[in-house]
């Protein structure tokens, strides 16, 4: 009976540590973003892709933690209900004549159970909030990647247009110089004849 609450406490401690690590990670990402403004785009895109993989891994881990928490919560509720039944039977067998003691014990167990349920509910709310924050961060990163890809595509198109224009100008210059050399030669001939 006592190991289940300890296990839940261990889970909450583990979750708190992971939450603190996620917050530290967020702060480091902000610092890196400030430094990254002075780096080439290809490096930024590669960094964002790596972060994306990490975010997906964290999201998967969050789903697993959520499932585990729900399983532990239902197991704890089942254990506590069985415990209350056993205590009720035990009290009924030993104190058939005193219903006030039975009612007091029922109330006491109900309060204890409610405290545990409240703690579990609070932990679940914290986990949901962390998941929401992580999901929002993941969406922002994905939007940033899409924006960078679109910007990259636009820049490539501009570069291609510039290249084509440069090549066309080279061709025009080459054709003009050939036509001009023909004109120079015919005018030289007419001047020489005269």
């Amino acid at each position: 009976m006592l190991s289940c609450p300890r296990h839940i406490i261990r889970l909450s401690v583990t979750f708190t540590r992971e939450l603190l690590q996620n917050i530290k990670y967020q702060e480091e990402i902000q610092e890196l973003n400030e430094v990254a403004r002075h780096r080439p785009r290809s490096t930024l895109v590669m960094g964002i892709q790596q972060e994306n993989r990490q975010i997906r891994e964290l999201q998967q881990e969050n789903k697993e933690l959520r499932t585990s928490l729900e399983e532990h919560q239902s197991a704890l509720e089942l254990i506590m209900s069985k415990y209350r039944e056993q205590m009720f039977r035990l009290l009924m067998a030993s104190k058939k004549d005193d219903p006030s003691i039975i009612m007091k014990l029922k109330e006491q167990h109900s309060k204890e159970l409610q405290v545990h349920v409240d703690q579990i509910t609070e932990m679940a709310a914290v986990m949901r909030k962390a998941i929401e924050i992580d999901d929002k961060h993941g969406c922002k990163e994905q939007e940033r990647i899409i924006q960078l890809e679109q910007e990259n595509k636009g820049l490539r198109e501009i570069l291609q247009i510039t290249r084509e224009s440069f090549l066309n100008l080279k061709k025009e210059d080459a054709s003009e110089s050939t036509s001009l050399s023909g004109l120079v030669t015919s005018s030289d001939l007419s001047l020489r004849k005269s």
Side-chain angles (χ1 to χ4, degrees):
M1 298 282 170
L2 295 176
S3 66
C4 190
R6 287 182 184 155
H7 182 69
I8 291 175
I9 290 171
R10 281 190 212 122
L11 281 176
S12 67
V13 168
T14 302
F15 175 73
T16 304
R17 285 181 187 151
E18 289 180 4
L19 185 61
L20 290 173
Q21 288 174 349
N22 284 342
I23 291 171
K24 182 179 177 183
Y25 175 74
Q26 296 285 341
E27 292 171 355
E28 289 174 359
I29 291 297
Q30 287 177 348
E31 290 175 12
L32 288 175
N33 283 338
E34 292 175 14
V35 171
R37 290 191 181 118
H38 304 290
R39 297 172 74 192
R41 289 189 190 277
S42 60
T43 307
L44 291 175
V45 170
M46 287 175 49
I48 289 173
Q49 288 173 347
Q50 184 180 13
E51 288 174 11
N52 243 1
R53 276 180 277 191
Q54 290 173 345
I55 288 170
R56 283 189 211 110
E57 290 171 3
L58 286 173
Q59 287 173 339
Q60 181 62 32
E61 189 177 335
N62 281 346
K63 288 177 186 176
E64 292 170 3
L65 284 172
R66 185 184 318 143
T67 304
S68 177
L69 178 66
E70 289 170 359
E71 289 173 359
H72 287 297
Q73 186 175 5
S74 64
L76 180 63
E77 289 173 5
L78 177 65
I79 290 169
M80 290 305 290
S81 67
K82 294 289 184 183
Y83 175 74
R84 276 185 268 119
E85 287 177 21
Q86 291 295 329
M87 289 303 293
F88 183 71
R89 287 183 190 152
L90 184 65
L91 287 174
M92 289 299 285
S94 65
K95 303 282 182 179
K96 290 183 179 178
D97 299 334
D98 195 1
S100 65
I101 293 175
I102 295 172
M103 290 305 290
K104 286 180 184 179
L105 288 173
K106 275 185 177 181
E107 289 175 12
Q108 181 183 1
H109 291 298
S110 294
K111 288 177 184 177
E112 289 174 5
L113 178 64
Q114 187 60 41
V115 167
H116 290 296
V117 168
D118 290 343
Q119 289 174 345
I120 291 172
T121 305
E122 184 179 335
M123 287 185 342
V126 169
M127 286 184 73
R128 284 188 195 101
K129 184 66 176 173
I131 290 169
E132 287 175 14
I133 290 170
D134 191 43
D135 288 344
K136 286 179 185 178
H137 180 70
C139 289
K140 286 180 183 177
E141 291 295 324
Q142 189 65 27
E143 289 173 3
R144 181 69 177 148
I145 288 173
I146 290 170
Q147 178 187 4
L148 287 173
E149 286 173 349
Q150 289 174 347
E151 185 177 328
N152 190 356
K153 183 180 177 182
L155 290 172
R156 286 179 189 267
E157 288 174 2
I158 291 171
L159 180 62
Q160 183 63 30
I161 291 169
T162 306
R163 283 182 184 162
E164 289 173 2
S165 298
F166 182 72
L167 289 175
N168 287 339
L169 283 174
K170 268 187 149 179
K171 287 178 184 177
E172 288 175 7
D173 285 348
S175 65
E176 284 179 11
S177 66
T178 4
S179 63
L180 285 177
S181 65
L183 289 174
V184 169
T185 312
S186 59
S187 64
D188 280 346
L189 287 175
S190 63
L191 285 175
R192 286 183 188 163
K193 289 180 183 177
S194 32

